[in-house]
């Protein structure tokens, strides 16, 4: 208890602490369990270093798990690296050396490995080499996030990796947005048409919806993006305020696509009967759009513009 108090005092007062663990279990059988418990308790009080046996699997497992819980292991990279099944599709061993791959492969890999810090540099270089922004999105960013989805499906990737890949993807989109706007040649027909976009209530997937927004803007639509997890009331308020002629809804999950029907019904009930309602998202189909009385369905962003 006194030792733990001291560790806590050190961490609150700006000192690093180092602790030999094993005396605590002296004279006991199966000492590794007591040592591991003591390590976890000390880490929770802010211990910096431990003198411990790195060959003890139990102790090292506690160390990896504690580093997750204290956020020393950002994005759980080390924890997942340690415990992920060796078949992991993107394990470091399978990676080609950095110098052997093209710039667009770097872009792809940055999404695959959730590398938010370097993706924009790679995207910038790819643009510099003349790769069109739309091609970077379609052929490299989207294919990469789909690969991430596949690995997640196979339980070779885990939620933190999904999140980091999504964040890398977002950084790349934000970077590409002004470049896409330069492509505006085809966009005049739609100029000044307003469209409200939203991912439906209960659903926080917004990568696809953001791509659709980007593409619509590129083609001259004025996009009012209400974001994700959006309820019918928010959409109705936005319709009242903005007089948009189209509402676009996105849903990525079987559990949330059912939100689309009541949202459309509520908007119509609120008086927006002439408004067109279009829907999309990986789980949505033309049949479903017909079934819920949507005016349109688009499987991808290009079709959404059309
Ligand atoms: Co999640 N997730 N996720 N996820 N995620 C899926 C969708 C899932 C299929 C993965 C899986 O389990 N196999 C699964 C849903 C299963 C189902 O219902 N069928 C799933 C799950 C279960 C979950 C959680 C519940 C996981 C959990 O917590 N246990 C949780 C959900 C939380 C919630 O929403 N309440 C969750 C969370 C997340 C992250 C936060 C980690 C992250 C999202 C980050 C973000 O979006 N900011 C994430 C991701 C990245 C995925 C996958 C891997 C990729 C989705 C994606 O961005 N695809 C996905 C697996 C997969 O798809 N293989 C998965 C790329 C994107 C470009 O495609 O969105 O389809 P898409 O958009 C396309 C078209 O569909 C179309 O155009 C776009 C461009 O071509 N389109 C429209 C889209 N919207 C449109 C609207 C239109 C027109 C066209 O008109 C308006």
């Amino acid at each position: 208890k006194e030792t733990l108090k001291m560790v806590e005092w050190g961490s609150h007062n700006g000192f690093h602490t180092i602790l030999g663990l094993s005396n605590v279990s002296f004279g006991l059988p199966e000492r590794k369990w007591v040592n591991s418990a003591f390590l976890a308790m000390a880490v929770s009080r802010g211990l910096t270093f431990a003198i411990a046996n790195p060959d003890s699997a139990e102790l090292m497992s506690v160390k990896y798990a504690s580093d997750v819980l204290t956020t020393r292991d950002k994005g759980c990279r080390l924890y997942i690296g340690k415990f992920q099944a060796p078949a992991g599709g993107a394990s470091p061993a399978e990676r080609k050396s950095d110098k052997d791959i093209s710039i667009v492969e770097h872009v792809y890999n940055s999404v695959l490995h959730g590398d938010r810090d370097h993706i924009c540099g790679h995207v910038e270089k790819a643009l510099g080499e003349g790769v069109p922004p739309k091609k970077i999105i379609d052929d490299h960013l989207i294919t990469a996030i789909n690969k991430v989805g596949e690995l997640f499906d196979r339980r070779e990737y885990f939620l933190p990796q999904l999140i980091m890949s999504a964040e890398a993807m977002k950084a790349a989109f934000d970077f590409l947005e002004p470049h896409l706007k330069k492509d505006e040649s085809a966009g005049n027909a739609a100029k000044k048409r307003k469209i409200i976009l939203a991912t439906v209530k209960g659903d926080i997937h917004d990568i696809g919806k953001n791509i659709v927004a980007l593409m619509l803007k590129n083609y001259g639509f004025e996009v009012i993006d209400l974001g994700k997890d959006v309820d019918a009331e928010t959409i109705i308020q936005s319709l009242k305020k903005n007089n948009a002629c189209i509402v676009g809804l996105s849903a990525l999950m079987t559990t949330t696509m059912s939100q689309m029907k009541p949202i459309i019904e509520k908007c119509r009930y609120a008086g927006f009967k002439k408004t067109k309602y279009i829907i999309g998202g990986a789980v949505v189909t033309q049949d479903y759009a017909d079934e819920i009385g949507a005016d349109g369905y688009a499987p991808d962003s290009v079709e959404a513009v059309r």
Side-chain angles (χ1 to χ4, degrees):
K1 254 182 169 171
E2 291 307 315
T3 304
L4 294 175
K5 268 193 220 162
M6 188 63 205
V7 167
E8 188 160 20
W9 184 88
S11 79
H12 285 163
N13 289 283
F15 294 102
H16 293 300
T17 44
I18 180 158
L19 176 62
L21 290 176
S22 59
N23 279 352
V24 78
S25 61
F26 188 71
L28 290 175
E30 291 294 326
R31 295 175 65 183
K32 62 192 177 200
W33 297 115
V34 180
N35 293 348
S36 301
F38 192 43
L39 174 63
M41 291 166 80
V43 168
S44 79
R45 308 285 184 104
L47 181 71
T48 323
F49 301 105
I51 302 171
N53 176 7
D55 283 337
S56 161
E58 294 79 6
L59 214 125
M60 290 310 286
S61 298
V62 167
K63 180 236 180 293
Y64 278 102
S66 302
D67 284 348
V68 167
L69 296 175
T70 53
T71 67
R72 286 179 190 186
D73 179 7
K74 296 256 177 329
C76 312
R77 281 182 197 273
L78 295 172
Y79 182 86
I80 290 171
K82 167 116 181 111
F83 294 110
Q84 174 178 46
S91 69
E94 283 177 48
R95 293 193 204 177
K96 286 189 211 167
S97 143
D98 273 2
K99 55 183 181 344
D100 297 335
I101 64 175
S102 67
I103 190 64
V104 285
E105 281 179 295
H106 275 300
V107 172
Y108 178 93
N109 280 346
S110 298
V111 175
L112 193 62
H113 306 309
D115 184 356
R116 187 178 51 182
D117 296 339
H118 295 102
I119 194 164
C120 294
H122 297 318
V123 168
E124 190 173 19
K125 268 199 189 145
L127 289 170
E129 287 183 12
V131 187
K134 176 89 174 50
K135 196 171 166 57
I136 296 178
I137 292 179
D138 289 344
D139 295 357
H140 307 291
L141 295 176
I142 296 184
T143 47
I145 196 79
N146 284 339
K147 177 72 184 172
V148 169
E150 246 176 62
L151 293 168
F152 183 68
D153 278 348
R154 297 208 301 259
R155 312 207 103 251
E156 291 176 29
Y157 258 29
F158 298 88
L159 207 52
Q161 290 161 302
L162 223 60
I163 293 171
M164 286 191 296
S165 292
E167 284 176 356
M169 189 99 178
K170 179 161 185 340
F173 282 139
D174 291 348
F175 186 84
L176 276 170
E177 180 162 9
H179 296 276
L180 275 164
K181 279 189 182 150
K182 283 186 196 150
D183 275 6
E184 251 176 90
S185 52
N188 293 329
K191 236 183 180 94
K192 299 216 189 308
R193 294 259 186 120
K194 281 191 195 171
I195 173 163
I196 292 172
L197 276 188
T199 302
V200 299
K201 183 82 196 148
D203 199 322
I204 60 163
H205 295 89
D206 65 356
I207 294 176
K209 189 254 310 151
N210 293 345
I211 296 176
V212 172
L214 216 59
M215 209 50 78
L216 287 164
K217 282 185 204 163
N218 192 29
Y219 276 82
F221 283 87
E222 185 180 335
V223 176
I224 298 144
D225 188 344
L226 300 180
K228 54 200 173 186
D229 192 19
V230 181
D231 59 16
E233 192 46 41
T234 308
I235 295 171
I236 292 168
Q237 289 309 323
S238 179
L239 274 166
K240 285 181 181 159
K241 191 170 151 211
N242 295 299
N243 195 25
C245 56
I246 307 171
V247 170
L249 301 175
S250 182
L252 262 278
M253 297 193 290
T254 42
T255 46
T256 53
M257 63 194 277
S258 57
Q259 288 291 322
M260 292 174 149
K261 186 173 186 219
I263 289 178
I264 295 173
E265 282 172 357
K266 284 180 186 167
C267 290
R268 287 186 177 139
Y269 187 74
F272 297 98
K273 295 196 174 67
K274 287 192 181 150
T275 310
K276 300 289 178 197
Y277 299 88
I278 71 168
I279 64 170
V283 284
V284 179
T285 60
Q286 180 66 55
D287 282 352
Y288 186 68
D290 296 341
E291 188 186 314
I292 66 169
D295 299 289
Y297 157 74
D300 55 44
S301 59
V302 173
E303 201 59 37
V305 171
R306 220 171 268 145

